[in-house]
Amino acid sequence: MYSQLPLVFIPGLFGSFGEEILPGAGKLGFGPAGLLYKSFIESLEQMGYVENENLFICYYNWKETCGCIIEKYLEEKILQAKSKTG
C-alpha cells in the first residue's frame, strides 16, 4: 500500500448521471459512464485509494454553468477531502 495525497476525481462531460440530470435516475453517480470509469477507479484502489477516505469522486450536473458546478459540487468535495484527510 502506498501513502498518497488525497485525490479528487472529476468525471468528464456526461460522466455523471442522476436525478438532477434526468428525473427518476436516482442520486448522482457514474451511471452509464461507469463502464468507462470502473477500471480507472479499480486501478486507483489497487494503489491504495479508498473512496471517501483519500479518493473523492466529484459527480456533478454537467448541464449547469462551470461557476455553478464549482460552487455547488467541487468546493463541497474539496472541503470534504480536506476535512477527512487534514
Side-chain angles (χ1 to χ4, degrees):
M1 177 153 333
Y2 301 98
S3 173
Q4 64 279 100
L5 294 172
L7 174 68
V8 176
F9 176 71
I10 306 168
L13 186 61
F14 309 117
S16 299
F17 193 76
E19 184 76 27
E20 297 177 29
I21 297 164
L22 181 67
K27 69 177 193 164
L28 279 172
F30 286 129
L35 297 172
L36 299 172
Y37 291 117
K38 182 180 178 185
S39 63
F40 178 72
I41 298 300
E42 287 173 352
S43 294
L44 291 173
E45 291 171 343
Q46 289 173 359
M47 294 169 52
Y49 282 96
V50 177
E51 191 170 349
N52 295 320
E53 287 188 24
N54 58 357
L55 170 62
F56 303 89
I57 302 174
C58 184
Y59 303 108
Y60 61 96
N61 181 348
W62 39 264
K63 297 189 310 184
E64 296 183 5
T65 66
C66 289
C68 182
I69 290 168
I70 291 167
E71 288 179 22
K72 189 173 178 181
Y73 304 97
L74 184 57
E75 286 180 352
E76 180 181 319
K77 194 56 66 172
I78 290 170
L79 289 174
Q80 179 187 4
K82 289 172 73 173
S83 172
K84 186 75 176 186
T85 64

